[in-house]
Amino acid sequence: MLQKVFDTQDLPVGERLGAWKEVVSHSLTPNLVDVDRAEEFQASMRLGDMSDTQVVGLSYTSLRNQRTARMIRRSGPELYALALNVRGHQRIRQSGRETVLGVGDLVVYATSDPYESWVNAGAGTAASTVALIPRAAVPFAYDTMKRLVATRLSGREGIGALAAHLLVRLREDAGLYRPADAPRLGTVLVDLFTALTAHHLQAEAVVPPESRERTLVLAVRAFIQRHLSDPELSPASVAAAHNISVRTLHRLFRDEETTVARLIREQRLEKCRRDLADPVCSGRPIHAVAARWGFADAAAFSHAFRAVHGCTPTEYRRSRLEARPPKEPGIPPGSHAPERRRDP
């Protein structure tokens, strides 16, 4: 989903910092960039357009960024940035407020106000993933949003965890998304950003109903993923965990092309399928694999698995494990066996 835009490894050492400044100015917003040792500078950028939003995956050695009022007058796109600190330590200052970010923290800043940021990557590289969202897409006055900029937000719980998880998945991708998914993902990002800022501004009532519903669906899906191993997981327990009725839960999923019960069953079966194909789990009995993912009845699991895959769990495991090429004992993966000595 994110396409490579820039990598210093593709350039001679003497051209890297200048080229980075240019690509940041053209692909993001103009900034002043300072580093201590230009000859050691490394950076990369991957970018994805998702309707009106953008997601950018960045990595870099230690540096300082500054966006000045003069730069804003020349080029002032009215955007909010939601940044997830993936690696290293970062510090940002805007609107008289300054915060330090650790790994897994989120921060909001505005491209239409001056700011400074510092990155401490140590001896390696730091990394962040940034979503750029139009101010017009967010239902809060700019003066209200300024109360939140340069404030450390948790990416480990609640809506913050949902937003961080999506940014991580978009960065890592691995074929999960197609270009046709971009508009939907853009909507999801705006919904999550709106819900996250509304929570911290204590302004949930301002969020449009349709945005609240879409965010709640995301929260429900994440809850199901975290609790698949619980045999008591059901539409009723999911609804209770989110303080809504089962009827409301079913209404939320009316446009999801599935039901909550079917989603639970499909996700459990997929987890079991992966375990059955994994050599690491080959010594685990079938009933234990089923129980690990919430199937209390082994016979019911076998019936459900066969209905989806056309074979029993035992047959599936055998076919997947036998399809793997045998390895010579004592030869590490990726290495070559030594040639046999030939007698003259």
Side-chain angles (χ1 to χ4, degrees), residues 2-5 44-48 55-57 170-171 173:
L2 304 188
Q3 302 298 316
K4 175 182 171 181
V5 174
S44 67
M45 178 189 298
R46 295 169 63 230
L47 187 147
V55 175
V56 189
L170 289 171
R171 184 186 183 96
D173 192 1

Side-chain angles (χ1 to χ4, degrees), residues 19 63 87 102 119 124 141 155 162 174 178 194 201 234 239 243 276 314:
L63 53 77
R87 187 172 64 246
V119 176
L162 292 177
R178 302 164 298 172
T194 301
L201 293 169
S234 67
N243 299 310
L276 292 172
T314 300

Side-chain angles (χ1 to χ4, degrees), residues 253-270:
F253 275 72
R254 65 187 182 278
D255 296 325
E256 293 295 304
E257 299 181 355
T258 189
T259 65
V260 176
R262 186 181 303 130
L263 179 64
I264 293 171
R265 184 172 64 254
E266 289 172 348
Q267 292 297 317
R268 281 175 166 164
L269 286 171
E270 175 59 16

Side-chain angles (χ1 to χ4, degrees), residues 7-25:
D7 194 325
T8 51
Q9 298 300 317
D10 300 332
L11 297 170
V13 171
E15 299 177 10
R16 291 176 176 178
L17 182 58
W20 174 254
K21 294 178 181 180
E22 184 175 345
V23 76
V24 167
S25 293

